[in-house]
Amino acid sequence: PVYDIRRPEEWRKTGVVKDSKLLTFVNSSGRVVPDFLPRFTSEVGKNDPVILICRTGSRTNTLARHLVEQMGYTNVFIVRNGISQWISDKRPITRL
């Protein structure tokens, strides 16, 4: 699955990748949302393939590195340059 880790206002502004799971990683102050890791780890097994997307790739780079290096995830992928590049490439989005 694709996990869009942006905030709700970002999802509404740009739309999202169709069928992506919406799960906010950090709040507007840059702090990790308390229920993010418990929810993510309950939904995604350590060897399950997962794709992360944010606005420009910065948050997904940070999260992917943590998942792989600190938590033992083995199949973490990111959308390079995030939803901004996705839209620029004219790939489909779904409006909320």
Side-chain angles (χ1 to χ4, degrees):
V2 174
Y3 274 81
D4 191 323
I5 63 168
R6 298 176 298 149
R7 293 182 300 278
E9 64 272 15
E10 293 176 289
W11 300 327
R12 288 190 295 274
K13 182 177 179 182
T14 63
V16 298
V17 175
K18 186 177 186 207
D19 297 328
S20 59
K21 296 183 179 273
L22 309 180
L23 185 59
T24 300
F25 175 43
V26 293
N27 64 24
S28 58
S29 302
R31 291 192 175 88
V32 175
V33 174
D35 71 338
F36 176 82
L37 279 175
R39 286 187 56 201
F40 183 86
T41 57
S42 73
E43 295 176 15
V44 181
K46 294 212 174 184
N47 296 313
D48 295 345
V50 63
I51 302 166
L52 306 173
I53 191 168
C54 66
R55 186 171 57 86
T56 62
S58 179
R59 285 170 277 185
T60 54
N61 280 330
T62 300
L63 177 58
R65 187 171 296 117
H66 179 77
L67 291 171
V68 171
E69 294 176 1
Q70 307 297 318
M71 299 184 69
Y73 278 78
T74 61
N75 277 309
V76 179
F77 304 92
I78 64 169
V79 175
R80 191 180 309 274
N81 300 316
I83 196 83
S84 298
Q85 186 67 48
W86 184 275
I87 292 168
S88 182
D89 290 345
K90 304 211 182 318
R91 294 186 175 153
I93 57 166
T94 299
R95 290 284 177 185
L96 299 183

